[in-house]
Amino acid sequence: APKQVDMASLKLVNLDGSPISENVIRGKAMVLNFWAPWCPPCCAETPWLQHLQTSHPKDLVVVGIVADPGKYLQAQTFMTSRGVTYILARETPSVDDIFGAVDGLPTTFYINATGKVVHTARGLIPEILAKHYVNQLF
């Protein structure tokens, strides 16, 4: 896992292939979650991640990176049906260059506003621990 992320070089792309504006992430802490809709632990985390996003609307951005290109539509449908509003993005060469190969799902990077990776969580973690990690970003 990286120790520092050059946030300016992180190019995020929506599931439909359109670019995500850099203004969305600039100056904010980030929770970057690699997941897939066929992964039960990944799906279990979505309400917690949504809560983190709604609890910190001005200083945190949650991004769900869909790690299975064949499941973009399924991922969008799953998230919409559960009222999830945080950003969904494709896994792209830019993301892979920065974060490397993710060796298991879910994998979540907790990144402060300066790009420092404060925590990396592999697998499902308790909601209270996710909240603790987010609180350490500020």
Side-chain angles (χ1 to χ4, degrees), residues 58-124:
K58 295 186 189 301
D59 52 5
L60 177 73
V61 61
V62 175
V63 178
I65 301 289
V66 181
D68 184 342
K71 299 298 180 183
Y72 291 156
L73 181 58
Q74 184 181 351
Q76 186 65 59
T77 301
F78 172 82
M79 296 300 231
T80 301
S81 72
R82 284 158 179 78
V84 173
T85 60
Y86 59 82
I87 296 169
L88 292 181
R90 293 179 174 197
E91 188 171 3
T92 63
S94 169
V95 171
D96 289 344
D97 287 348
I98 293 169
F99 295 95
V102 174
D103 59 2
L105 299 176
T107 295
T108 307
F109 296 90
Y110 295 83
I111 308 163
N112 72 17
T114 66
K116 180 180 180 191
V117 177
V118 178
H119 292 285
T120 301
R122 289 180 177 81
L124 180 65

Side-chain angles (χ1 to χ4, degrees), residues 15-26:
L15 294 183
D16 66 8
S18 63
I20 296 171
S21 170
E22 293 174 21
N23 293 335
V24 173
I25 63 174
R26 185 177 295 128

